[in-house]
Amino acid sequence: MVYPVFETKTIAVEHVTIRSDQAFASVKSKLERLVTRIDDGIFTLLRYGETVRALKELEALPALSIFGFRDHGALLGIAGPRRHAIQYDIGNPLTASKMTRHDIAAGLYAPIRVLLSEDVDGVVSFEYDRPVSTFGQFGSAEIDKVAVQLDKDLRAVLEEAAS
Protein backbone atom coordinates (compact mmCIF):
# COMPACT_ATOMS: atom_id res chain seq x y z
CA MET A 1 0.00 0.00 0.00
CA VAL A 2 1.23 3.47 -0.85
CA TYR A 3 0.69 6.21 1.73
CA PRO A 4 -1.07 8.50 2.21
CA VAL A 5 -4.34 6.65 1.57
CA PHE A 6 -7.49 8.74 1.22
CA GLU A 7 -10.78 7.07 2.13
CA THR A 8 -14.33 8.35 2.50
CA LYS A 9 -17.60 6.90 3.72
CA THR A 10 -21.08 8.33 3.95
CA ILE A 11 -22.93 8.31 7.26
CA ALA A 12 -26.48 9.30 8.16
CA VAL A 13 -26.67 12.02 10.80
CA GLU A 14 -29.80 13.16 12.61
CA HIS A 15 -29.86 16.93 13.04
CA VAL A 16 -31.90 18.34 15.94
CA THR A 17 -33.46 21.78 16.31
CA ILE A 18 -34.98 22.85 19.62
CA ARG A 19 -36.88 26.14 19.32
CA SER A 20 -37.62 28.50 22.17
CA ASP A 21 -40.13 31.27 22.71
CA GLN A 22 -37.68 32.98 25.08
CA ALA A 23 -35.28 35.80 24.25
CA PHE A 24 -31.76 34.88 23.11
CA ALA A 25 -30.11 36.46 26.18
CA SER A 26 -32.44 34.56 28.50
CA VAL A 27 -31.77 31.19 26.85
CA LYS A 28 -28.02 31.83 26.76
CA SER A 29 -27.99 32.79 30.43
CA LYS A 30 -30.06 29.77 31.43
CA LEU A 31 -27.85 27.38 29.45
CA GLU A 32 -24.71 28.79 31.05
CA ARG A 33 -26.23 28.37 34.52
CA LEU A 34 -27.28 24.78 33.80
CA VAL A 35 -24.05 23.77 32.04
CA THR A 36 -21.05 25.44 33.61
CA ARG A 37 -17.60 25.93 32.10
CA ILE A 38 -15.19 23.06 32.75
CA ASP A 39 -12.23 23.73 35.00
CA ASP A 40 -9.12 23.47 32.81
CA GLY A 41 -7.18 22.33 35.89
CA ILE A 42 -8.33 18.80 35.12
CA PHE A 43 -6.35 18.86 31.89
CA THR A 44 -3.29 20.16 33.76
CA LEU A 45 -3.55 17.21 36.15
CA LEU A 46 -3.73 14.81 33.22
CA ARG A 47 -0.80 16.48 31.46
CA TYR A 48 1.36 15.89 34.56
CA GLY A 49 0.25 12.29 35.02
CA GLU A 50 -1.99 12.92 38.03
CA THR A 51 -4.58 10.47 36.68
CA VAL A 52 -5.97 9.26 40.02
CA ARG A 53 -6.63 12.81 41.22
CA ALA A 54 -7.99 13.80 37.79
CA LEU A 55 -10.37 10.82 37.80
CA LYS A 56 -11.74 11.80 41.21
CA GLU A 57 -12.37 15.32 39.95
CA LEU A 58 -13.90 14.07 36.70
CA GLU A 59 -16.27 11.77 38.60
CA ALA A 60 -17.48 14.78 40.62
CA LEU A 61 -18.34 16.78 37.48
CA PRO A 62 -21.91 17.24 36.29
CA ALA A 63 -23.06 15.16 33.32
CA LEU A 64 -22.24 18.02 30.92
CA SER A 65 -19.84 20.95 30.89
CA ILE A 66 -19.00 23.71 28.44
CA PHE A 67 -15.49 23.15 27.09
CA GLY A 68 -15.47 26.33 25.03
CA PHE A 69 -17.54 28.63 22.88
CA ARG A 70 -17.24 30.88 19.85
CA ASP A 71 -19.30 33.97 19.09
CA HIS A 72 -20.25 33.06 15.55
CA GLY A 73 -22.65 36.00 15.39
CA ALA A 74 -19.76 38.44 15.77
CA LEU A 75 -17.95 36.64 12.96
CA LEU A 76 -20.93 37.31 10.69
CA GLY A 77 -20.15 41.01 11.13
CA ILE A 78 -17.32 40.53 8.64
CA ALA A 79 -19.78 39.83 5.83
CA GLY A 80 -22.79 41.86 6.98
CA PRO A 81 -24.89 42.51 10.04
CA ARG A 82 -24.03 40.71 13.29
CA ARG A 83 -26.48 38.19 14.68
CA HIS A 84 -26.93 36.33 17.92
CA ALA A 85 -25.19 32.99 17.38
CA ILE A 86 -22.88 31.16 19.76
CA GLN A 87 -21.33 27.78 19.08
CA TYR A 88 -20.68 25.76 22.25
CA ASP A 89 -18.57 22.65 22.77
CA ILE A 90 -20.51 20.65 25.35
CA GLY A 91 -19.58 17.29 26.83
CA ASN A 92 -17.83 15.45 29.61
CA PRO A 93 -14.20 14.25 29.51
CA LEU A 94 -15.03 11.02 31.32
CA THR A 95 -17.84 10.29 28.86
CA ALA A 96 -15.47 10.99 25.97
CA SER A 97 -12.87 8.62 27.38
CA LYS A 98 -15.50 5.88 27.72
CA MET A 99 -16.05 6.12 23.95
CA THR A 100 -12.59 6.89 22.61
CA ARG A 101 -11.05 3.92 24.45
CA HIS A 102 -13.04 1.75 22.02
CA ASP A 103 -12.31 3.84 18.91
CA ILE A 104 -10.07 6.90 19.06
CA ALA A 105 -11.84 8.35 15.99
CA ALA A 106 -14.87 8.99 18.25
CA GLY A 107 -12.80 11.95 19.46
CA LEU A 108 -13.92 13.75 16.29
CA TYR A 109 -17.35 14.24 17.90
CA ALA A 110 -16.53 14.75 21.57
CA PRO A 111 -17.37 17.28 22.84
CA ILE A 112 -20.60 17.92 20.94
CA ARG A 113 -21.01 21.15 19.00
CA VAL A 114 -24.21 23.00 19.84
CA LEU A 115 -25.31 26.20 18.12
CA LEU A 116 -27.56 28.66 19.94
CA SER A 117 -28.85 31.22 17.46
CA GLU A 118 -31.53 33.73 16.69
CA ASP A 119 -32.84 33.79 13.14
CA VAL A 120 -33.81 36.92 11.18
CA ASP A 121 -37.38 36.61 12.47
CA GLY A 122 -36.19 36.58 16.09
CA VAL A 123 -36.77 32.86 16.69
CA VAL A 124 -34.20 31.41 19.10
CA SER A 125 -33.09 27.81 18.75
CA PHE A 126 -30.48 25.23 19.59
CA GLU A 127 -29.10 23.00 16.83
CA TYR A 128 -26.85 19.96 17.06
CA ASP A 129 -26.24 16.57 15.52
CA ARG A 130 -27.54 13.73 17.68
CA PRO A 131 -24.76 11.85 19.42
CA VAL A 132 -26.45 8.49 18.76
CA SER A 133 -26.20 9.14 15.03
CA THR A 134 -22.68 10.61 14.86
CA PHE A 135 -21.15 8.01 17.18
CA GLY A 136 -23.24 5.23 15.61
CA GLN A 137 -20.90 5.12 12.62
CA PHE A 138 -18.29 3.30 14.71
CA GLY A 139 -20.42 0.16 15.05
CA SER A 140 -19.53 -0.33 18.71
CA ALA A 141 -22.09 -1.41 21.30
CA GLU A 142 -19.91 0.16 24.02
CA ILE A 143 -19.79 3.52 22.26
CA ASP A 144 -23.50 3.36 21.41
CA LYS A 145 -24.42 2.79 25.06
CA VAL A 146 -22.53 5.91 26.14
CA ALA A 147 -23.88 7.92 23.18
CA VAL A 148 -27.48 7.07 24.11
CA GLN A 149 -26.98 8.53 27.59
CA LEU A 150 -25.15 11.55 26.19
CA ASP A 151 -28.05 12.10 23.79
CA LYS A 152 -30.57 12.03 26.66
CA ASP A 153 -28.49 14.35 28.86
CA LEU A 154 -27.91 16.86 26.07
CA ARG A 155 -31.53 16.96 24.95
CA ALA A 156 -32.79 17.37 28.52
CA VAL A 157 -30.49 20.28 29.37
CA LEU A 158 -31.13 22.08 26.06
CA GLU A 159 -34.90 21.69 26.41
CA GLU A 160 -34.69 23.04 29.95
CA ALA A 161 -32.59 26.01 28.79
CA ALA A 162 -35.06 26.70 25.98
CA SER A 163 -38.11 26.63 28.28
Side-chain angles (χ1 to χ4, degrees), residues 16 18 27 31 34-35 64 90 114 126-128 153-163:
V16 176
I18 299 173
V27 175
L31 174 67
L34 292 168
V35 184
L64 297 171
I90 298 177
V114 175
F126 287 110
E127 294 187 60
Y128 65 98
D153 292 342
L154 185 61
R155 180 176 176 175
V157 77
L158 295 179
E159 285 181 343
E160 187 174 343
S163 67

Side-chain angles (χ1 to χ4, degrees), residues 24 70-87 115-116:
F24 180 88
R70 288 161 293 290
D71 187 342
H72 197 75
L75 180 63
L76 290 174
I78 294 170
R82 290 178 59 135
R83 295 209 358 228
H84 290 123
I86 298 177
Q87 183 186 78
L115 181 69
L116 170 61

Side-chain angles (χ1 to χ4, degrees), residues 1-143:
M1 186 177 290
V2 178
Y3 289 93
V5 175
F6 179 81
E7 297 178 35
T8 65
K9 73 176 178 178
T10 301
I11 62 169
V13 174
E14 295 176 55
H15 186 77
V16 176
T17 302
I18 299 173
R19 291 184 177 76
S20 176
D21 61 357
Q22 303 297 308
F24 180 88
S26 175
V27 175
K28 176 184 179 294
S29 177
K30 193 167 183 182
L31 174 67
E32 292 175 3
R33 276 193 316 273
L34 292 168
V35 184
T36 57
R37 182 93 189 224
I38 193 163
D39 179 358
D40 289 334
I42 289 170
F43 301 109
T44 302
L45 291 173
L46 291 170
R47 195 170 25 258
Y48 289 103
E50 296 284 335
T51 54
V52 173
R53 187 169 157 206
L55 179 59
K56 286 181 182 176
E57 291 193 27
L58 287 169
E59 290 173 339
L61 286 177
L64 297 171
S65 296
I66 294 173
F67 281 64
F69 60 92
R70 288 161 293 290
D71 187 342
H72 197 75
L75 180 63
L76 290 174
I78 294 170
R82 290 178 59 135
R83 295 209 358 228
H84 290 123
I86 298 177
Q87 183 186 78
Y88 292 94
D89 295 326
I90 298 177
N92 180 302
L94 200 51
T95 300
S97 74
K98 289 177 182 176
M99 292 187 282
T100 56
R101 74 177 60 151
H102 299 289
D103 192 328
I104 193 65
L108 285 168
Y109 304 99
I112 306 297
R113 283 188 172 184
V114 175
L115 181 69
L116 170 61
S117 66
E118 180 179 60
D119 70 15
V120 294
D121 296 323
V123 177
V124 174
S125 60
F126 287 110
E127 294 187 60
Y128 65 98
D129 293 334
R130 282 190 71 201
V132 293
S133 66
T134 55
F135 290 110
Q137 69 181 291
F138 300 107
S140 165
E142 294 89 356
I143 293 174

